[in-house]
Each structure stands twice: as C-alpha cells, then as structure tokens.
Amino acid sequence: MTGTQRRKAVVTGANSGIGYFTAVELARAGDSVVLACRNEQKAAAAADEIRAEIPNADVESAKLDLASLASVREFADSQSGSLDLLINNAGVMMPPRRLETADGFELQFGTNHLGHFALTALLLPRLLEAAEPRVVTVSSLAHRQRRQLDFEDPQEVRSYDPHRAYARSKLANLMFALELDRRARAAGSPLVSNAAHPGFSATGLYGSDDGLGSNPVLRKLAPLGARAVSQSAKAGALPTLYAANKGGAGSYTGPRALMETRGKPGPAKISRVAQNKQLAADLWGMSEELTGVTFTFN
C-alpha cells in the first residue's frame, strides 16, 4: 500500500514460528492482522502476546483448519470488506506415516497446497476489493527436491514417503504462486502474487504432532537439531515480510547466505520444474477439480 494507509492482512498459521513473527511485524507497521489458525486457543494467546508487545496493535484471531475444506469455506465466509494481503504460511511437515485431511487428501498436499489454493480462491473477491491486493505463498528449499509432479498418484496412496510428499507440497506452493500471478496478469487484475521461503529456520513444524512430532522420539530431538543448525524463526520471517512489502509480481524471495539457508532476504532460485507453465496449468486444473473452487478475476 502507498502512504500510511493501514492494510488488512490474513496470516495463516500465525500462532507460532514464522507466521507469528510475520504477524508481529505487520502489526508493528500498523496493519490490521487476522491470525488464522487451526487452534483457536493458541491463536487467541498469540494475539494477546502481540497486543502486550505492541499496545496499539490491531489483531484478531480466527479459526481456520486448512485440512478441512468446510473450515476453509467457513473462514472465508466470515471475512467481510476488502482484504489487502493474504499470507499463505501454515504448513505440515513430514508425518512419518500417511495421514489424510478431513476430505481424504494426503495431509501435506491437502493442507499445504490444496487448503491454501481453496482459501485464496474463496478470498479472491475480498482481495479484489482492495486497491493493491497481494498474495504471498510460503514455499521451501525442499521444492528443489522434486524434479516432477506425479499426477498419477498425487495423494501418495500407492507409496508414501514423508520427505517426497513434503517436497511435492512445497513445489505445488511455488507453482501455484507463479501461476496465480500469470493468471492475474492475463486477466488485467491488480493482484500481485509472489512467494518466499524461510531458508533453514527453527519453527514449530519440527515438533508438530501432525508432522515429525507424531513420532515421540523425533518430537524431542527434531527441534533441538533444528535450533543447532538453523536461524531463528524471527529471521526466517524476513523473506515473507519482504515479499509482502516489496516483492514484485511473480518473484520468489529467500535468504541470500549459505545456499539460501540464512541471511538477509533477496531473490531466490526457482527450480526448472517450478517454472514449467504446462505443469502449473495441469496442477491448477487438478486443484480446482479436487477442491471444487474456481478463480474469478472480475
């Protein structure tokens, strides 16, 4: 936004980690922020923490479970007025065994990609009411681990590998962000879509009950290992904040030091497969079919 005009922002998964620090800095800058989280109690507590740190902060918490399309629709229906900024941040990382969303999707693909895909489509009317609408989708260095998208078994029913499924979901995040920007440009829409990744940052994903933390041993060890070799979640939020405030249309932002694992934000490398426009179009079509949502830019 130009000048000092306050934006309204929605940040998914904002009760902890990168999402929390993203919300803190947006509120500090004067934006009105909705913490959209699965756990309402944790979201409310996070909102209280932000208000305690920033007395004039305009923050509220709301229920949003990206692993349930019904919850996504309920949240989108609860939003009114224009929305300037949507940050698709929430995620699930590498549960050791295959789990499913409420709608029967593999948990990582269903939550990280399909949930955000549906949320963005359903909030698009609110976004298009804003003068300078912007969507930032958080991907990962892991997107480079996938050289192809498997449209034959997207839900990993035949063979589940936690690392492969996570990398696929993060590749889908980046391809969605880039394809959304292309479609917005083609429609002559003012919507800016871009993406960011946090490098290697210590977040709650490592100990989450839905991910690595579903294994009791990994629940204790993974966060310790992450803290030993990674930057803080606060530092990991910097690329997202850059993308939200300065990142150009179709850009990808990440840390610049040590092979994009840490450091100040700047342009990040996009894998060749993530730049494949036909694959992105195929992913888009499949995502519309699975979620039952469509994007309308007018």
Side-chain angles (χ1 to χ4, degrees), residues 1 8 79-86 119-135 180-181 183-193 284 294-298:
M1 299 289 289
K8 180 178 179 181
Q79 300 301 297
S80 60
S82 63
L83 175 63
D84 301 282
L85 175 63
L86 170 61
L119 177 67
T120 306
L122 293 169
L123 288 178
L124 190 60
R126 305 277 75 79
L127 286 160
L128 295 181
E129 288 182 12
E132 299 174 21
R134 181 175 291 248
V135 177
L180 176 59
D181 183 69
R183 291 179 182 239
R185 299 282 78 70
S189 171
L191 180 75
V192 168
S193 171
W284 189 282
T294 56
F295 284 71
T296 303
F297 290 96
N298 50 37

Side-chain angles (χ1 to χ4, degrees), residues 164-197:
R164 180 181 64 206
Y166 179 69
R168 170 188 286 166
S169 74
K170 293 286 101 178
L171 173 59
N173 281 151
L174 181 52
M175 294 180 76
F176 162 63
L178 299 177
E179 181 67 6
L180 176 59
D181 183 69
R182 285 190 288 265
R183 291 179 182 239
R185 299 282 78 70
S189 171
L191 180 75
V192 168
S193 171
N194 59 30
H197 78 82

Side-chain angles (χ1 to χ4, degrees), residues 111-158:
T111 302
N112 300 354
H113 170 60
L114 293 176
H116 281 126
F117 181 91
L119 177 67
T120 306
L122 293 169
L123 288 178
L124 190 60
R126 305 277 75 79
L127 286 160
L128 295 181
E129 288 182 12
E132 299 174 21
R134 181 175 291 248
V135 177
V136 179
T137 301
V138 179
S139 183
S140 167
L141 283 169
H143 95 270
R144 298 186 203 164
Q145 298 172 13
R146 299 301 301 150
R147 297 184 178 180
Q148 190 56 272
L149 279 177
D150 183 3
F151 291 101
E152 297 299 319
D153 187 26
Q155 307 299 341
E156 301 249 333
V157 175
R158 294 198 296 265

